[in-house]
Amino acid sequence: MQRGIFITFEGGEGCGKSSHIKSLAQYFESKSRQCVITREPGGTPLSEKIRDLLLNAKEGAKMSPRAELLLFEASRAQHVDELILPALAEGKVVLCDRFADSSSAYQGVARKLGGDSVEWLNNFAVAGAIPDMTILLDIPAEEGIARANARDNDNPDRMGAEKISFYQAVRESFLKIASQNPNRFVVVDSSGEKEATFEKIINAVKEKFDV
Ligand code: TMP
């Protein structure tokens, strides 16, 4: 059986992850590779319930940053055990919209919980499911938020309703994580035309994997 491939997409709000994930899945399928598209928080029934608590529940209004981190990690642990590891074991390509690096950037840095706790919890939750490749779609925070607001009709969820400085901290953090993990990360400028961005993604994927 062919080895599974685990690719994660990261980036700030409005960076265009979901449309590129769909296009990349079409590419893999055209090469006869079975693909699973999934997302965090979410991806399994239980993890999607946790997603709703994190992003939309009215009870989330006073969520403490530690509770927030633990909910993201609980959602991740279930997602890894129920969906990601079994799909990789079956030789599938798993394309995941956000993963553990989002907790490092959003909770560790922007929420100021610190790298050590987040790193420990990330490792515990992922249980060895380390992405083969992480594509960071980089876009200035202001531009990304403007795109996200247009998409969501100016009705952001709880994580989308922070001050711009929060998303600037997220962006800086992602760029730092990428520079510390050059073998895993590809940083793609996502502020230009969609087609040009996707071409950079596909070139990076072809260079790394035999597809
Ligand atoms: P999405 O809008 O990309 O679906 O992601 C949902 C929000 O959750 C987004 O604002 C990023 C945030 N998030 C975290 O803060 N920590 C995490 O670990 C994950 C996976 C997402």
Side-chain angles (χ1 to χ4, degrees), residues 169-200:
V170 166
R171 182 189 187 201
E172 291 311 312
S173 173
F174 273 135
L175 288 170
K176 187 167 172 198
I177 299 168
S179 73
Q180 290 166 339
N181 296 275
N183 293 334
R184 174 163 66 89
F185 268 85
V186 178
V187 181
V188 175
D189 176 359
S190 183
S191 53
E193 290 297 315
K194 215 189 239 182
E195 292 72 20
T197 304
F198 186 64
E199 199 174 318
K200 290 182 209 149

Coordinates of all heavy atoms in Angstrom, one line a residue, residues 169-200:
A169 N -0.1 39.6 15.6 CA 0.8 38.7 16.5 C 0.7 37.2 15.9 O 1.7 36.5 15.9 CB 0.3 38.7 17.9
V170 N -0.5 36.8 15.5 CA -0.7 35.5 14.9 C 0.2 35.3 13.7 O 1.0 34.4 13.5 CB -2.1 35.2 14.5 CG1 -2.3 34.0 13.6 CG2 -3.0 35.0 15.8
R171 N 0.2 36.4 12.8 CA 1.0 36.3 11.6 C 2.5 36.2 11.9 O 3.2 35.3 11.3 CB 0.7 37.5 10.7 CG 1.5 37.4 9.4 CD 1.5 38.7 8.6 NE 2.1 38.6 7.3 CZ 2.6 39.6 6.6 NH1 2.5 40.8 7.0 NH2 3.1 39.3 5.4
E172 N 3.0 37.0 12.8 CA 4.4 37.0 13.1 C 4.8 35.6 13.7 O 5.8 35.1 13.4 CB 4.7 38.1 14.2 CG 4.6 39.5 13.6 CD 5.4 39.7 12.3 OE1 6.6 39.2 12.3 OE2 4.8 40.2 11.3
S173 N 3.9 35.1 14.5 CA 4.2 33.8 15.1 C 4.3 32.7 14.1 O 5.2 31.9 14.1 CB 3.1 33.5 16.2 OG 3.3 32.2 16.6
F174 N 3.3 32.7 13.2 CA 3.4 31.6 12.1 C 4.7 31.8 11.3 O 5.3 30.7 11.0 CB 2.2 31.8 11.1 CG 0.9 31.1 11.5 CD1 -0.3 31.7 11.4 CD2 1.0 29.8 12.0 CE1 -1.5 31.1 11.8 CE2 -0.2 29.1 12.3 CZ -1.4 29.8 12.2
L175 N 5.1 33.0 11.0 CA 6.3 33.2 10.2 C 7.5 32.7 11.0 O 8.5 32.0 10.5 CB 6.5 34.6 9.8 CG 5.5 35.1 8.7 CD1 5.6 36.6 8.5 CD2 5.8 34.4 7.4
K176 N 7.5 32.9 12.3 CA 8.6 32.4 13.2 C 8.6 30.9 13.2 O 9.7 30.3 13.1 CB 8.4 33.0 14.6 CG 9.6 32.8 15.5 CD 9.5 33.6 16.7 CE 10.6 33.2 17.7 NZ 10.4 33.6 19.0
I177 N 7.5 30.3 13.4 CA 7.4 28.8 13.5 C 7.9 28.2 12.2 O 8.7 27.3 12.2 CB 5.9 28.3 13.8 CG1 5.4 28.8 15.1 CG2 5.9 26.8 13.7 CD1 3.9 28.6 15.3
A178 N 7.5 28.9 11.1 CA 8.0 28.4 9.7 C 9.5 28.5 9.6 O 10.1 27.5 9.2 CB 7.3 29.2 8.6
S179 N 10.1 29.6 10.1 CA 11.5 29.7 10.0 C 12.2 28.7 10.9 O 13.4 28.3 10.6 CB 12.0 31.2 10.2 OG 11.9 31.4 11.6
Q180 N 11.6 28.3 12.0 CA 12.2 27.3 12.9 C 12.0 25.9 12.4 O 12.7 25.0 12.9 CB 11.6 27.4 14.3 CG 12.0 28.7 15.0 CD 11.2 29.0 16.2 OE1 10.0 28.5 16.3 NE2 11.7 29.9 17.1
N181 N 11.2 25.7 11.4 CA 10.9 24.3 10.9 C 10.9 24.3 9.4 O 10.0 24.0 8.7 CB 9.5 23.9 11.3 CG 9.4 23.7 12.8 OD1 9.7 22.7 13.4 ND2 8.9 24.8 13.5
P182 N 12.1 24.7 8.8 CA 12.2 24.8 7.3 C 12.0 23.6 6.6 O 11.6 23.6 5.4 CB 13.6 25.4 7.1 CG 14.4 25.0 8.4 CD 13.4 24.9 9.5
N183 N 12.2 22.4 7.2 CA 12.0 21.2 6.4 C 10.5 20.8 6.2 O 10.1 20.2 5.3 CB 12.7 20.0 7.1 CG 14.2 20.1 7.0 OD1 14.7 20.8 6.1 ND2 14.9 19.6 8.0
R184 N 9.7 21.3 7.2 CA 8.3 20.9 7.1 C 7.5 22.0 6.4 O 6.5 21.8 5.8 CB 7.8 20.7 8.6 CG 6.3 20.5 8.6 CD 5.8 19.9 10.0 NE 6.1 20.7 11.1 CZ 5.2 21.6 11.6 NH1 4.0 21.8 11.0 NH2 5.4 22.3 12.7
F185 N 7.9 23.3 6.6 CA 7.1 24.4 6.1 C 7.4 24.9 4.7 O 8.6 24.9 4.3 CB 7.3 25.6 7.0 CG 6.3 25.7 8.2 CD1 6.5 25.0 9.4 CD2 5.1 26.5 8.0 CE1 5.6 25.1 10.4 CE2 4.2 26.5 9.1 CZ 4.4 25.8 10.3
V186 N 6.4 25.3 4.0 CA 6.5 26.1 2.8 C 5.7 27.4 3.0 O 4.5 27.3 3.4 CB 5.9 25.4 1.6 CG1 6.1 26.2 0.3 CG2 6.6 24.1 1.4
V187 N 6.3 28.5 2.9 CA 5.6 29.8 3.1 C 5.2 30.3 1.7 O 6.1 30.5 0.8 CB 6.5 30.8 3.8 CG1 5.7 32.1 4.0 CG2 6.9 30.3 5.2
V188 N 3.9 30.5 1.5 CA 3.4 31.0 0.2 C 2.7 32.4 0.4 O 1.8 32.5 1.2 CB 2.5 30.0 -0.4 CG1 1.9 30.5 -1.7 CG2 3.2 28.6 -0.7
D189 N 3.2 33.3 -0.4 CA 2.5 34.7 -0.3 C 1.1 34.5 -0.9 O 0.9 34.1 -2.1 CB 3.3 35.6 -1.2 CG 2.7 37.0 -1.2 OD1 1.6 37.2 -0.7 OD2 3.3 37.9 -1.9
S190 N 0.1 34.8 -0.1 CA -1.3 34.6 -0.5 C -2.0 35.9 -0.8 O -3.3 35.9 -0.9 CB -2.0 33.8 0.6 OG -3.3 33.5 0.3
S191 N -1.3 37.0 -1.0 CA -2.0 38.2 -1.2 C -2.3 38.5 -2.6 O -3.1 39.4 -2.9 CB -1.2 39.4 -0.5 OG 0.1 39.4 -1.0
G192 N -1.7 37.7 -3.5 CA -1.9 38.0 -5.0 C -3.1 37.2 -5.5 O -4.0 36.9 -4.8
E193 N -3.1 37.0 -6.8 CA -4.2 36.2 -7.5 C -4.2 34.8 -7.0 O -3.1 34.2 -6.8 CB -3.9 36.3 -9.0 CG -4.2 37.6 -9.7 CD -5.6 38.1 -9.5 OE1 -6.5 37.3 -9.7 OE2 -5.8 39.3 -9.2
K194 N -5.4 34.3 -6.9 CA -5.6 32.9 -6.4 C -4.8 31.9 -7.3 O -4.2 31.0 -6.8 CB -7.1 32.6 -6.6 CG -7.6 31.7 -5.5 CD -9.0 31.2 -5.8 CE -10.0 31.7 -4.8 NZ -11.4 31.2 -5.1
E195 N -4.8 32.1 -8.6 CA -4.2 31.1 -9.5 C -2.7 31.1 -9.3 O -2.1 30.0 -9.3 CB -4.5 31.4 -11.0 CG -5.9 31.3 -11.4 CD -6.9 32.3 -10.9 OE1 -6.4 33.4 -10.5 OE2 -8.1 32.0 -10.8
A196 N -2.1 32.3 -9.1 CA -0.7 32.3 -8.9 C -0.3 31.7 -7.6 O 0.7 31.0 -7.5 CB -0.2 33.8 -8.9
T197 N -1.1 31.9 -6.6 CA -0.8 31.3 -5.3 C -0.9 29.8 -5.4 O 0.0 29.0 -4.9 CB -1.9 31.8 -4.2 OG1 -1.8 33.2 -4.2 CG2 -1.6 31.2 -2.8
F198 N -1.9 29.3 -6.1 CA -2.1 27.8 -6.2 C -0.9 27.2 -7.0 O -0.4 26.1 -6.7 CB -3.4 27.4 -6.8 CG -3.6 25.9 -6.8 CD1 -3.7 25.3 -5.6 CD2 -3.6 25.2 -8.0 CE1 -3.9 23.9 -5.5 CE2 -3.8 23.8 -7.9 CZ -3.9 23.1 -6.7
E199 N -0.4 27.9 -8.0 CA 0.7 27.4 -8.7 C 1.9 27.2 -7.8 O 2.6 26.2 -7.9 CB 1.1 28.3 -9.9 CG 1.9 27.6 -10.9 CD 2.1 28.5 -12.1 OE1 1.1 29.2 -12.6 OE2 3.2 28.5 -12.6
K200 N 2.1 28.1 -6.9 CA 3.3 28.0 -6.0 C 3.0 26.8 -5.1 O 4.0 26.0 -4.7 CB 3.4 29.3 -5.1 CG 3.9 30.4 -5.9 CD 4.1 31.7 -5.0 CE 3.9 32.9 -5.8 NZ 3.3 34.0 -5.0

